[in-house]
Amino acid sequence: MSSELFVTQILNGLVSGSMYALIGAGVALIYGTQRILNFAQGEFFMLAAFGLFVFSTQFGLPLVVAAICAVVLVTAFSALVYRAAIQPLMNREGWEFSTIAVTLGISVLLQNIAFLLWGEKYQTVPYYLDGSIGFAGITMPLQRVLVFLTCVSVIVSMTLFLKYSRTGWAIRATAQQPDAAAVVGVPVQRIRMLTFAIGCGLAAIAAVVLAPIFAVNPWIGVPHLLKGFVVVIMGGIGSFPGAILAGFVLGIVEAIGITLTSSEWRDVIAFATVILVIWLRPSGLLGKS
């Protein structure tokens, strides 16, 4: 492998890793604060991708405006789903399994609704940016550079939001001691709904930046959900920074791995990596033992 190809694959790995980190961060945020495994996360991703397609190609909105509309609508819709279908289960016995069943049901329902509305045909969305940028003999498409910068910007913003904002403090307090948080005036139920919506909103942001690269279809969210779970397990279940670190590690390992083998081995490399990490460190990269 030449040095130019090695550096190119590292950069491709960082782009893929930023995408995995953003999707995994949403899953980790929801599980870390509420212990809910959201199996419908991939379908919120899919809805945002279709939202971008509809607003941009059928309503004629500029791509950026269409992306903002799609993210806002999917985030608001996820809050409604939480309020109507998940929150009523949270105080019942066995809610851990009930929420898994409900999110699985929502996943299947949304997939079938998308299939009825748009069919099985793969839809395409134009690139935000055409062309490429080159330096030192290495060329990167501008669209992939945009994906990396957007994902990293959102991850940094979310980290600062959770660490320094009052709402972020409330989210962390609700995750650590919900009863104590309620005693000091934190609206626990509202914070949980907000956290669920933010987690799904992160998936929606990932969808609108990736939709021009991947064809949009009713099942587009499934592989991304699986990668999100892989990242969460690798990083340490429920660890927000762990999911981000694992996303970048997985992206780089995949990029180097498929260069040495072929792209057909991408998923094998991903799952082999998570098995190796769990074998060496059962609690994950940044998880607590």
Side-chain angles (χ1 to χ4, degrees), residues 15 52-53 56-57 61-67 123-133 140-147 207-216:
V15 174
L52 176 64
F53 166 73
S56 63
T57 63
L61 296 179
L63 267 180
V64 174
V65 177
Q123 310 290 352
T124 57
V125 177
Y127 279 17
Y128 293 93
L129 295 173
D130 291 318
S132 59
I133 184 172
M140 289 289 292
L142 287 174
Q143 179 66 33
R144 294 184 70 82
V145 175
L146 177 67
V147 170
V208 296
V209 295
L210 289 172
I213 299 177
F214 297 94
V216 181

Side-chain angles (χ1 to χ4, degrees), residues 255-274:
I256 299 297
I258 62 174
T259 304
L260 298 175
T261 57
S262 73
S263 59
E264 295 175 349
W265 287 82
R266 180 185 294 274
D267 290 338
V268 175
I269 293 168
F271 288 107
T273 303
V274 71

Side-chain angles (χ1 to χ4, degrees), residues 139-209:
T139 302
M140 289 289 292
L142 287 174
Q143 179 66 33
R144 294 184 70 82
V145 175
L146 177 67
V147 170
F148 176 75
L149 293 177
T150 303
C151 291
V152 170
S153 299
V154 172
I155 289 169
V156 171
S157 300
M158 273 303 305
T159 303
L160 296 176
F161 169 75
L162 291 173
K163 194 168 184 179
Y164 296 110
S165 72
R166 292 180 65 85
T167 305
W169 296 343
I171 291 174
R172 292 161 59 193
T174 302
Q176 294 169 6
Q177 294 288 340
D179 294 335
V183 168
V184 297
V186 175
V188 172
Q189 294 299 338
R190 195 182 309 166
I191 289 295
R192 284 176 169 168
M193 182 174 68
L194 176 65
T195 307
F196 188 88
I198 291 174
C200 295
L202 293 178
I205 293 172
V208 296
V209 295

Side-chain angles (χ1 to χ4, degrees), residues 10 35 47 51 63 67-68 98-99 114 117 137 141 154 159 166 168 196 234 253 278:
I10 292 292
R35 297 295 181 267
L47 286 181
L63 267 180
I68 293 172
S98 300
T99 52
L117 290 176
V154 172
T159 303
R166 292 180 65 85
F196 188 88
M234 274 183 62
V253 170
I278 296 303

